[in-house]
Amino acid sequence: MNSSLFISHGAPNIILKNSLSKTNFESFSKRIKKPQYIIIFSAHYLTKTLKVINYEKNSLLYDFYGFEKELYEFKYEIKSDKDKTLNLITYLEKRGIEVSIDKDKFTYDHGVWTALSMIYEKLNVPVIQLSIPTSYSYKQLINLGETLQGLKEEALIIGSGGITHNLYDMQNGTTIKEYAKNFNKELINIINKGKEEQLLALSKTTAFKQNHPSHEHFLPLFIIFGSAKDKKGVSFNSEFFYSNISMESFYFDKEGLLC
């Protein structure tokens, strides 16, 4: 069985800089079993209904602005697979989940390729990106993850987003804002214990809204939480950027790790 991962991907130029997070992601890669393929959800691919990226002519999407020239020149070999995409669709449809190919979607957003490039220097397995369906409730996203559990003998399931994501209140400096620090600490406790009711309750709090003025970066966590057999996750990276952006990242189902 493979693990499930939630990765806080941070700003896209993290791949160009030396940081504790980048070092931790690179080190963690040595602990991951090689899957047959990867299923990934990104905060930057939202659709009303569940979609899967087109498996033809895949490339990178540089969906950001104002960053270093080197970031727009960064190359990373990544592609999907026709047979595995069609098998995934069949698997989900047999379990009552409607899904379709997003025929005009060929590119992987930065939530996918920045996260994967920090873990895998070179990818030699297909990557199937599923959208986050905005018509789903948080509970339905957890249920979607639970449905995907049956594929974990083959696939590594990854969610790429952010534990905190208040871009309006970022500041340079080393002081971490209390509201972000406290939210991060509470979430670690919930994930460590695998408490679904507490996770759903947290999403209704003032603290959640303060850390997530919009919720798209938190949504992948619900799916990944659901995809875990025992729901208990362990952090493999802890760092803050810009005073309130947490890079906290978790693995679930340690049986999927080599050590």
Side-chain angles (χ1 to χ4, degrees), residues 6-7 23 48-49 54 61 63 68 93-94 99 106 145 147 163 179 181-182 240 250 255:
F6 177 82
I7 297 172
T23 298
K48 184 175 181 180
T49 59
N54 199 321
L61 177 64
D63 51 333
E68 299 91 331
E93 288 180 339
K94 284 183 176 179
V99 58
F106 300 94
T147 301
I163 294 303
Y179 71 83
K181 185 190 299 183
N182 292 338
F240 274 87
F250 299 91
E255 303 94 310

Side-chain angles (χ1 to χ4, degrees), residues 29-47:
S29 68
K30 300 177 177 62
R31 303 179 61 190
I32 304 172
K33 293 179 182 177
K34 182 180 177 181
Q36 295 180 30
Y37 58 98
I38 293 169
I39 296 172
I40 192 165
F41 296 85
S42 167
H44 299 280
Y45 182 29
L46 306 177
T47 57

Side-chain angles (χ1 to χ4, degrees), residues 3-8 25 28 32 119 156-159 162-164 183-193 199 218 221 224-225 228 231-238 246-253 257:
S3 294
S4 297
L5 309 179
F6 177 82
I7 297 172
S8 290
F25 290 144
F28 186 73
I32 304 172
I119 296 176
L156 172 66
I157 304 175
I158 299 176
I163 294 303
T164 63
F183 182 84
N184 193 72
K185 183 178 180 181
E186 183 174 3
L187 184 63
I188 291 172
N189 183 58
I190 291 171
I191 295 300
N192 286 168
K193 294 179 180 179
L199 179 62
F218 201 83
L221 180 60
I224 297 307
F225 183 85
K231 303 294 190 290
K232 295 179 181 179
V234 178
S235 175
F236 65 91
N237 182 63
S238 296
S246 171
M247 295 294 293
E248 205 76 39
S249 300
F250 299 91
Y251 70 82
F252 298 79
D253 295 330
L257 302 181

Side-chain angles (χ1 to χ4, degrees), residues 56-70:
E56 297 178 336
K57 301 177 183 178
N58 300 129
S59 59
L60 306 187
L61 177 64
Y62 301 89
D63 51 333
F64 42 76
Y65 60 91
F67 289 94
E68 299 91 331
K69 178 183 177 183
E70 299 94 311

Side-chain angles (χ1 to χ4, degrees), residues 1-183:
M1 184 181 71
N2 291 288
S3 294
S4 297
L5 309 179
F6 177 82
I7 297 172
S8 290
H9 60 248
N13 62 352
I14 187 175
I15 65 174
L16 302 178
K17 301 177 180 181
N18 293 323
S19 67
L20 175 62
S21 292
K22 188 177 179 182
T23 298
N24 285 343
F25 290 144
E26 290 172 350
S27 298
F28 186 73
S29 68
K30 300 177 177 62
R31 303 179 61 190
I32 304 172
K33 293 179 182 177
K34 182 180 177 181
Q36 295 180 30
Y37 58 98
I38 293 169
I39 296 172
I40 192 165
F41 296 85
S42 167
H44 299 280
Y45 182 29
L46 306 177
T47 57
K48 184 175 181 180
T49 59
L50 185 62
K51 301 281 187 179
V52 60
I53 191 172
N54 199 321
Y55 48 76
E56 297 178 336
K57 301 177 183 178
N58 300 129
S59 59
L60 306 187
L61 177 64
Y62 301 89
D63 51 333
F64 42 76
Y65 60 91
F67 289 94
E68 299 91 331
K69 178 183 177 183
E70 299 94 311
L71 193 57
Y72 301 93
E73 297 173 345
F74 182 81
K75 303 299 179 185
Y76 189 63
E77 292 296 324
I78 181 172
K79 61 182 180 180
S80 187
D81 179 271
K82 178 179 180 179
D83 290 340
K84 287 181 169 52
T85 296
L86 296 179
N87 288 341
L88 175 58
I89 290 173
T90 299
Y91 173 90
L92 290 171
E93 288 180 339
K94 284 183 176 179
R95 288 154 180 82
I97 296 177
E98 294 183 7
V99 58
S100 60
I101 295 174
D102 198 342
K103 294 183 178 179
D104 297 323
K105 175 68 172 173
F106 300 94
T107 54
Y108 295 97
D109 63 74
H110 76 270
V112 174
W113 57 264
T114 59
L116 290 179
S117 67
M118 289 189 290
I119 296 176
Y120 296 99
E121 183 178 356
K122 291 185 178 181
L123 268 177
N124 52 12
V125 298
V127 176
I128 302 174
Q129 183 176 7
L130 283 166
S131 70
I132 298 176
T134 58
S135 60
Y136 281 33
S137 67
Y138 297 160
K139 176 60 176 173
Q140 286 174 314
L141 291 175
I142 292 175
N143 293 344
L144 174 60
E146 290 174 342
T147 301
L148 291 170
Q149 284 183 21
L151 296 174
K152 291 182 68 170
E153 293 298 327
E154 307 170 356
L156 172 66
I157 304 175
I158 299 176
S160 178
I163 294 303
T164 63
H165 197 259
N166 186 342
L167 302 186
Y168 305 104
D169 197 32
M170 297 187 305
Q171 293 178 352
N172 288 320
T174 58
T175 301
I176 303 170
K177 294 181 182 293
E178 285 298 317
Y179 71 83
K181 185 190 299 183
N182 292 338
F183 182 84

